[in-house]
Amino acid sequence: MNHEPMHVDTDVLIIGSGGAGMYAAIAAARAGAGVMLADRSLIGRGGATVMAQMTVAAALGSETPDHWSCHYDDTLVAGRGLCDDRLAQLLCQEGADCIREMDAWGIGWARKDGRIAQALAPGHDRPRCVYVDFLNTGPAVSKTLRGVITRTGGIRKAGDLLIVDLVCAGSEVTGAVALHVASGAAVTIAAKATILATGGLTRLYRRNSASANMGGDGFALALRAGAPLVDMEFVQFFPIGHLAPRLIGMDPIMWDPFRYKLGGRLTNSEGEELTARYGVSEDGRYLTTRDVATYAIVKEVEAGRGSPHGGAFLSFEHCGEAALREAFGPVIDRLARNSIDLTRMAVEVAPIAHYHMGGIIADERMETELPGLLAAGEAVGGANGANRLSGNAITEALVFGRRAGVSAARRAMQTRAHTFDPRAARPALDLLTAPAMPDGANTAAMMVSLQAIMADNVGPLRTGAKLEQALDAIAEMTRALGEWPVGDGGAFDLRRVEWFDLRNMLLAARAVAMVALARTESRGAHQREDFPNMNASWQLNQVVRLGDRGMTLGRAGFATQAAAQ
Ligand SMILES: Cc1cc2nc3c(=O)[nH]c(=O)nc-3n(C[C@H](O)[C@H](O)[C@H](O)COP(=O)(O)OP(=O)(O)OC[C@H]3O[C@@H](n4cnc5c(N)ncnc54)[C@H](O)[C@@H]3O)c2cc1C
């Protein structure tokens, strides 16, 4: 392999090209900065945005009068008192403007009588969620942003570029070191501002809705550079991920839009409405928030009232073929090709890891504690507190992406020269160019073990004993992974890529398990069976850092501000 790194200078480096990264690129370029948009996958095709099939929440008021403050109130309620109210407010205040901007860019939001249609989703007090028919929201968001990027000058795109570490001068972030996966080449990038738009960490779990690029890289990059993370214990489990029968070529969370439009019946093996025992009577409508539905399904399975594969039944049999076809025309045919006839059968669904509420601490400009480092999208923690409302994640990606782009451009314009020092890039370059390790770790097997540990011990329902077991296992796996990568570092050396992935996943997993163990209460997506109640003394946000003393835990004060509203 080539040991001389290729070097690139840019004003703004954006790591990750989902909705947040692409919106940031457009905003930074429009503000006059030179942008490098890097992604470990193809530009605009990796991560969650392109996979999202459902809805985007914004107080447009196009169907029913609405105001951002109503959306904000709903967001705070869902967040169970832990939202960073500055970020939640921005998300709700600026969401509608991003939706309109996307509309002007030709995304094709679904319309009724010429107005943008808005669906009612759980936790929202009125119809607020826009979408693109049929199950095309995320692909349309990605395609539209890719199109605008192509028409906007000043954005250099770099796919297949896995960022392995940030480079710092003291606490200032001055760029990054990357592996060009397709060639095996090492790359150094000097940047006046760097935006982490790397998405979430749901790949840590056995059952997930994630792509292979969502192993929490951004959280690990931030931690190693010295930036703190908040709310890492709050992993959102999507309650009705597809479980059975086998479904090929379709999104495992596709049942949510069915529920928005048609309601559907969620039942246990005895045919009882599943959530009724847990305080929500749906009567064929879609009213249950995600944390309550997840809890209900897990508990019904434990009580022996689950479906054959260990989940719940979801049925649209009562809706009839005409209603199903009107709502989901081509999707019904795709289901038929999977031998699923919704007029005659229920499907089985179960909770899957879906979204991460926690992440990098950023202010209203999306600036982190480290000069030169910004964050955007799902990588940012705090806006959604302990539980996210449906549709808030894409809004967050668009709003925070746009803000981060503007702020990064401003910083870049005010910074005369790059302060990147190649010597600071040396440790990461040494890893990239290390010779093959004989008898190195079996990374594929370790990946499967880690996902099992996280699912079984740090999943929807937790206990102190399970979390301690997880932390022990993670520590043991971290030792087994070793300090030097496996593989020979050539072109498409996926073993080496997997080693870098595990290095990040283990760090992110440790952060999640550690703060989950510390939070001795149940709140939102964090449910402790040994501490089943919400406890007012825990109305605070936990912060995790990596430093000379290893990983340490502290507290932030957002919750107090949110609670005071
Ligand atoms: C299946 C699915 C359906 C969803 N449906 C909805 C929905 O209907 N509505 C809603 O509001 N939300 C939904 N969500 C959540 C929402 O899609 C995400 O929160 C949001 O799109 C995140 O956008 P992002 O730009 O922050 O990250 P992503 O879109 O995940 O993009 C992150 C990018 O970073 C890249 N990356 C990661 N690490 C590195 C690295 N080390 N180097 C270089 N690049 C890197 C990845 O390849 C990826 O392209 C869904 C999520 C999933 C998984």
Side-chain angles (χ1 to χ4, degrees):
M1 83 174 275
N2 181 5
H3 284 227
E4 273 311 303
M6 177 193 287
H7 182 77
V8 182
D9 283 340
T10 182
D11 287 338
V12 175
L13 167 65
I14 300 172
I15 307 173
S17 64
M22 287 196 283
Y23 223 124
I26 294 163
R30 287 185 166 186
V35 175
M36 178 171 177
L37 179 60
D39 200 294
R40 55 180 295 165
S41 178
L42 298 174
I43 294 296
R45 291 188 165 87
T49 304
V50 75
M51 298 167 73
Q53 295 190 336
M54 300 183 291
T55 62
V56 188
L60 276 182
S62 76
E63 284 214 26
T64 312
D66 202 354
H67 188 264
W68 71 262
S69 60
C70 305
H71 184 189
Y72 174 63
D73 288 345
D74 288 346
T75 299
L76 293 193
V77 170
R80 305 289 197 280
L82 289 199
C83 292
D84 177 339
D85 56 341
R86 306 160 308 161
L87 297 186
Q89 184 168 331
L90 287 174
L91 187 163
C92 300
Q93 257 177 331
E94 297 181 5
D97 193 45
C98 288
I99 296 301
R100 287 192 200 98
E101 192 162 39
M102 296 288 291
D103 195 45
W105 287 338
I107 185 167
W109 299 121
R111 283 185 140 77
K112 261 189 223 155
D113 304 328
R115 296 170 180 211
I116 295 177
Q118 294 193 277
L120 181 62
H124 292 277
D125 70 346
R126 66 197 74 197
R128 185 174 287 139
C129 294
V130 306
Y131 53 92
V132 177
D133 276 325
F134 290 94
L135 304 189
N136 259 324
T137 302
V141 167
S142 295
K143 185 174 171 209
T144 304
L145 293 174
R146 288 199 305 268
V148 179
I149 283 177
T150 305
R151 298 195 295 275
T152 306
I155 302 173
R156 195 165 11 169
K157 295 182 277 184
D160 275 337
L161 199 63
L162 173 71
I163 306 292
V164 296
D165 263 317
L166 299 174
V167 176
C168 300
S171 65
E172 182 189 357
V173 172
T174 60
V177 172
L179 168 67
H180 184 238
V181 178
S183 64
V187 181
T188 53
I189 305 151
K192 294 174 182 168
T194 299
I195 301 174
L196 281 170
T198 40
L201 52 59
T202 43
R203 189 189 178 198
L204 292 181
Y205 289 86
R206 185 173 42 213
R207 271 187 198 155
N208 63 59
S209 63
S211 80
N213 308 315
M214 293 161 65
D217 284 4
F219 307 127
L221 292 173
L223 280 174
R224 283 197 295 271
L229 310 180
V230 70
D231 293 346
M232 289 300 282
E233 65 272 50
F234 297 111
V235 179
Q236 184 170 66
F237 288 83
F238 179 78
I240 52 169
H242 186 82
L243 185 61
R246 197 153 178 237
L247 184 61
I248 296 169
M250 297 181 83
D251 186 329
I253 69 160
M254 57 168 289
W255 297 118
D256 220 34
F258 273 77
R259 294 212 78 202
Y260 285 132
K261 284 200 177 176
L262 301 166
R265 292 193 197 288
L266 194 59
T267 57
N268 63 16
S269 62
E270 293 171 8
E272 295 168 351
E273 185 184 76
L274 187 117
T275 54
R277 288 173 193 258
Y278 306 90
V280 185
S281 181
E282 291 199 317
D283 198 21
R285 292 164 301 160
Y286 184 19
L287 301 174
T288 316
T289 51
R290 290 178 177 176
D291 49 350
V292 174
T294 296
Y295 183 81
I297 293 175
V298 173
K299 283 293 161 197
E300 288 299 282
V301 171
E302 278 178 10
R305 295 188 292 267
S307 64
H309 293 85
F313 291 105
L314 180 61
S315 167
F316 299 94
E317 289 157 280
H318 59 288
C319 296
E321 169 132 22
L324 284 164
R325 285 218 164 262
E326 189 190 333
F328 288 101
V331 183
I332 303 300
D333 298 323
R334 283 162 69 192
L335 286 169
R337 288 198 286 278
N338 279 279
S339 307
I340 294 176
D341 178 353
L342 293 178
T343 61
R344 291 165 186 270
M345 61 198 278
V347 292
E348 288 180 60
V349 293
I352 55 178
H354 179 53
Y355 173 84
H356 189 44
M357 270 73 74
I360 301 158
I361 298 182
D363 64 13
E364 294 94 320
R365 295 174 162 206
M366 300 297 127
E367 289 172 345
T368 72
E369 203 179 279
L370 307 185
L373 184 65
L374 300 92
E378 191 172 337
V380 174
N384 295 288
N387 186 39
R388 167 179 73 90
L389 275 184
S390 316
N392 265 9
I394 293 182
T395 318
E396 165 187 77
L398 306 179
V399 169
F400 293 178
R402 187 165 74 169
R403 286 201 149 241
V406 170
S407 303
R410 186 184 302 124
R411 179 184 158 88
M413 315 297 234
Q414 288 166 356
T415 307
R416 275 225 198 125
H418 289 286
T419 47
F420 180 90
D421 179 351
R423 285 169 299 182
R426 201 66 256 164
L429 285 171
D430 287 346
L431 286 178
L432 284 181
T433 56
M437 283 282 292
D439 305 325
N442 179 343
T443 48
M446 285 178 73
M447 193 76 76
V448 173
S449 301
L450 178 62
Q451 289 175 323
I453 289 160
M454 292 301 285
D456 296 339
N457 297 320
V458 198
L461 300 185
R462 304 161 174 179
T463 65
K466 282 188 188 174
L467 291 165
E468 275 168 10
Q469 271 174 24
L471 281 166
D472 289 346
I474 290 165
E476 179 48 40
M477 288 179 77
T478 306
R479 274 190 292 277
L481 187 69
E483 306 259 309
W484 293 98
V486 295
D488 59 13
F492 286 114
D493 181 354
L494 296 185
R495 227 180 135 211
R496 183 155 289 200
V497 169
E498 225 160 44
W499 185 90
F500 279 107
D501 284 355
L502 272 168
R503 173 178 176 243
N504 290 341
M505 288 168 80
L506 285 163
L507 198 55
R510 192 165 134 216
V512 174
M514 185 172 149
V515 285
L517 178 63
R519 183 175 285 279
T520 48
E521 65 152 0
S522 289
R523 185 185 292 263
H526 172 72
Q527 292 294 322
R528 288 280 299 256
E529 296 197 89
D530 44 356
F531 295 96
N533 299 318
M534 197 154 103
N535 180 338
S537 68
W538 269 107
Q539 182 142 340
L540 50 86
N541 305 82
Q542 299 192 89
V543 173
V544 66
R545 287 176 183 275
L546 196 63
D548 297 339
R549 293 183 292 123
M551 196 175 273
T552 54
L553 202 52
R555 290 172 175 186
F558 314 144
T560 331
Q561 297 169 34
Q565 289 290 315

